[in-house]
Amino acid sequence: MMRVSRTFGVVAAALSMASFAPADAQSQRPPLAGGRPPQQVPLIQAPRPSIFQPDVSSVQLRADQVEVLRRVLGDAYTHGFDVGAFAPDQAIALYASRDPAARAAGQNQLISLTLTYARAVRTGRLPPSGFMNEWGLRPAPYDPTADFVMAVQQDRLAEWLDTLPPPYTGYQTLRTGLSTYRDIAARGGWAPLAAGPDLKEGATGARVVALEARLAAEDPTIAVDGAPIFDAALTQAVQRAQKRFGLNPTGVVNKTTLDALNIPVERRIDQIVANMERWRWLPQTLPADRIQVNVAAAILSVFSHDTPTLTMRAVTGRPGDETPMLSSMIHSIVLNPPWNVPSTIAAKELWPKERASPGYLRRNDFIVIPTGDGGSRLQQKAGPKAALGQIKFDFANPYGVYLHDTPSRSKFDSFSRLASHGCVRLQKPIELAKALMAGDPVWTPEKIDETIASGDTVRAKLPQQIAVFLLYWTAYVTPDGQVNFRQDPYGWDRELVQRIAAL
């Protein structure tokens, strides 16, 4: 539709670990520790107040500290920044001068580069004005000056610099993936495959040879023999690639698979860089108990104690009705919810259907409600035809989106599930509701079932609110070390890369 501290042990035990692979790729666990502009950005931490007024002019860098900065700034490229964006060579050359004025100028340049790098790697490169309205997940402002001065004075400069990048497995594995794909690009990338009939086991010819070489560019397990025969091993290699692209792993190279294989390596690098940038928009610490939705992959994951315990397919917004990125807190569920139809959907979709087929609204349980200002709005009554199904999950946000059930289940069987008006439809909403209500003395599983069966519309507060994040991951690394890619359905990867390039 338009747009804990809890343990889910029982649910977790019922799930196979294989279903957790996409969730593990989205895990925010620190590796060492185990339309309208948004009106609010929940869960983003406020900048830490400084305990002293920083005075950069008082800083005197030692030679070993300059070497630390040379190393870190020289490695900035590995974080997705352009080569030379923070190149320290000129500043260090000045610093090494015997001329005191040149030496001071070199230190000032080096400090300026360091502070600029610190902001970029911690919170990203976009200014607040550079965010699209739908990018409601915004980083907290960060001024690194005080931290830098203190780190120099306390002789822990290297340790402070190490804390700046996002402290998450998802970011660090993408950093490794970026290196891998840059190496592929340096070797010439891959040649596009020629169009033609679908390729499948038993096929022969030059296109089969080219397919094997193309797959081997990303899949190191393939033993390239150059044989022009599509055999069982090549079928398995195609299936692995299709899984990495989020496609139906049929082992047949149809047009959809061919299009994915023909995306050039430079675009894949851009996707990795864009996703690394979005990781910087997250807070430095995430709630250990949370719900995450990967909008691009249309997958919902529940985390308990920072471990995925429940995953399910979702249906997210189609292009033009994008599901926004945001963070909030789910505070309640509504059983047997009516649907208050947004005016845009009513005008564009429902009233035309009524005019084309009089009685359409009545047959589908829609009622017209006066608004008191001479106008009216549409509401669909709760029941078997209700677009929100039997339950919805409410959280404050300026976009008017929520998680909900749906009576239309067929889309969950599809590998492409971007079909909603912006809200997130859930494959297992009742299972999620019972997990979130676990331990509540009133809203037992039986009470939830009874209330749904009664048809009564009831709002139930969660015993404890739970964080929800709607994220847009089109590149992530699975536990096998492979970078997985999804389509950029909203064009947000391309838009982000272009906005960064224009700075």
Side-chain angles (χ1 to χ4, degrees):
M1 302 297 82
M2 271 300 284
R3 44 172 216 193
V4 214
S5 182
R6 329 192 53 67
T7 299
F8 302 94
V10 175
V11 174
L15 295 173
S16 71
M17 288 306 297
S19 69
F20 292 161
D24 280 327
Q26 299 178 52
S27 176
Q28 328 299 330
R29 286 173 287 182
L32 300 181
R36 288 169 292 175
Q39 301 302 309
Q40 60 178 347
V41 184
L43 300 178
I44 299 298
Q45 295 176 328
R48 193 169 59 248
S50 174
I51 61 174
F52 69 99
Q53 290 298 320
D55 182 8
V56 174
S57 65
S58 68
V59 170
Q60 292 296 320
L61 294 171
R62 301 192 312 265
D64 63 307
Q65 292 175 326
V66 170
E67 175 58 24
V68 167
L69 296 181
R70 184 202 63 75
R71 174 182 57 80
V72 172
L73 296 177
D75 285 345
Y77 178 66
T78 67
H79 289 281
F81 302 128
D82 291 339
V83 176
F86 304 100
D89 298 346
Q90 181 181 6
I92 290 176
L94 286 171
Y95 176 83
S97 170
R98 293 180 181 274
D99 177 16
R103 185 180 178 88
Q107 175 173 277
N108 289 339
Q109 287 184 23
L110 193 56
I111 291 174
S112 178
L113 283 172
T114 301
L115 297 179
T116 303
Y117 163 80
R119 279 189 291 268
V121 79
R122 175 75 168 263
T123 62
R125 286 162 278 184
L126 289 184
S129 60
F131 283 75
M132 293 181 65
N133 289 340
E134 293 83 2
W135 299 351
L137 194 66
R138 309 290 175 87
Y142 177 60
D143 183 348
T145 308
D147 288 343
F148 168 76
V149 173
M150 186 179 297
V152 172
Q153 292 176 346
Q154 296 180 355
D155 198 19
R156 53 178 188 82
L157 185 58
E159 292 82 357
W160 171 67
L161 290 166
D162 286 344
T163 69
L164 292 173
Y168 303 123
T169 303
Y171 177 87
Q172 296 188 0
T173 52
L174 277 181
R175 187 182 177 194
T176 301
L178 177 62
S179 176
T180 298
Y181 277 79
R182 281 175 167 167
D183 287 345
I184 293 173
R187 295 194 298 267
W190 49 73
L193 299 174
D198 290 356
L199 289 174
K200 58 184 177 180
E201 194 165 332
T204 60
R207 291 181 68 220
V208 174
V209 176
L211 172 64
E212 182 185 63
R214 166 62 188 90
L215 292 170
E218 291 181 280
D219 188 343
T221 67
I222 295 176
V224 179
D225 57 15
I229 301 173
F230 199 130
D231 57 12
L234 193 55
T235 296
Q236 293 172 0
V238 170
Q239 290 174 322
R240 290 195 298 272
Q242 289 169 327
K243 290 177 181 178
R244 292 198 308 272
F245 300 146
L247 305 176
N248 189 4
T250 61
V252 177
V253 181
N254 56 13
K255 184 180 185 304
T256 302
T257 301
L258 188 70
D259 288 345
L261 290 169
N262 280 345
I263 292 176
V265 67
E266 292 78 13
R267 264 192 61 193
R268 293 308 193 192
I269 290 172
D270 283 347
Q271 279 191 273
I272 294 173
V273 169
N275 281 267
M276 291 176 72
E277 186 78 2
R278 284 192 287 267
W279 275 103
R280 300 182 183 116
W281 301 350
L282 292 173
Q284 286 289 295
T285 303
L286 291 177
D289 299 332
R290 62 188 181 277
I291 293 173
Q292 290 178 198
V293 178
N294 182 351
V295 172
I299 291 287
L300 178 142
S301 304
V302 179
F303 288 78
S304 178
H305 303 300
D306 213 25
T307 299
T309 55
L310 174 63
T311 62
M312 67 184 72
R313 291 186 172 192
V315 174
T316 51
R318 62 198 178 195
D321 290 311
E322 292 84 358
T323 299
M325 286 182 278
L326 59 83
S327 64
S328 187
M329 300 292 290
I330 297 178
H331 53 76
S332 60
I333 62 176
V334 180
L335 305 174
N336 300 311
W339 177 32
N340 294 307
V341 183
S343 58
T344 52
I345 297 178
K348 292 180 180 179
E349 299 183 25
L350 298 181
W351 283 114
K353 290 180 179 179
E354 174 68 17
R355 289 190 291 270
S357 177
Y360 169 85
L361 295 178
R362 174 181 49 77
R363 292 192 299 272
N364 288 278
D365 290 342
F366 288 97
I367 58 175
V368 179
I369 300 177
T371 58
D373 57 0
S376 62
R377 62 181 179 88
L378 289 180
Q379 182 186 83
Q380 188 179 37
K381 296 184 290 185
K385 298 179 181 179
L388 303 190
Q390 297 176 319
I391 191 167
K392 77 167 180 172
F393 301 77
D394 274 345
F395 49 90
N397 70 91
Y399 303 98
V401 298
Y402 37 84
L403 315 179
H404 67 88
D405 182 22
T406 176
S408 303
R409 314 298 299 176
S410 61
K411 196 64 178 174
F412 294 117
D413 295 327
S414 173
F415 280 83
S416 176
R417 298 188 299 279
L418 286 85
S420 79
H421 288 95
C423 285
V424 180
R425 305 173 191 167
L426 304 181
Q427 183 185 30
K428 306 172 185 176
I430 306 301
E431 189 171 346
L432 176 60
K434 291 178 179 179
L436 297 184
M437 287 292 187
D440 187 277
V442 175
W443 289 104
T444 62
E446 295 75 19
K447 177 67 172 178
I448 291 173
D449 290 338
E450 291 170 5
T451 304
I452 290 174
S454 74
D456 295 335
T457 298
V458 178
R459 179 179 293 276
K461 289 184 61 177
L462 296 188
Q464 183 167 335
Q465 296 187 18
I466 185 169
V468 59
F469 291 83
L470 306 187
L471 307 169
Y472 190 77
W473 300 136
T474 60
Y476 54 86
V477 180
T478 43
D480 60 3
Q482 289 285 302
V483 182
N484 282 233
F485 295 100
R486 295 297 180 264
Q487 290 184 337
D488 178 20
Y490 302 159
W492 286 353
D493 288 344
R494 181 178 63 254
E495 185 68 30
L496 179 54
V497 168
Q498 289 175 349
R499 291 185 181 216
I500 290 172
L503 294 175

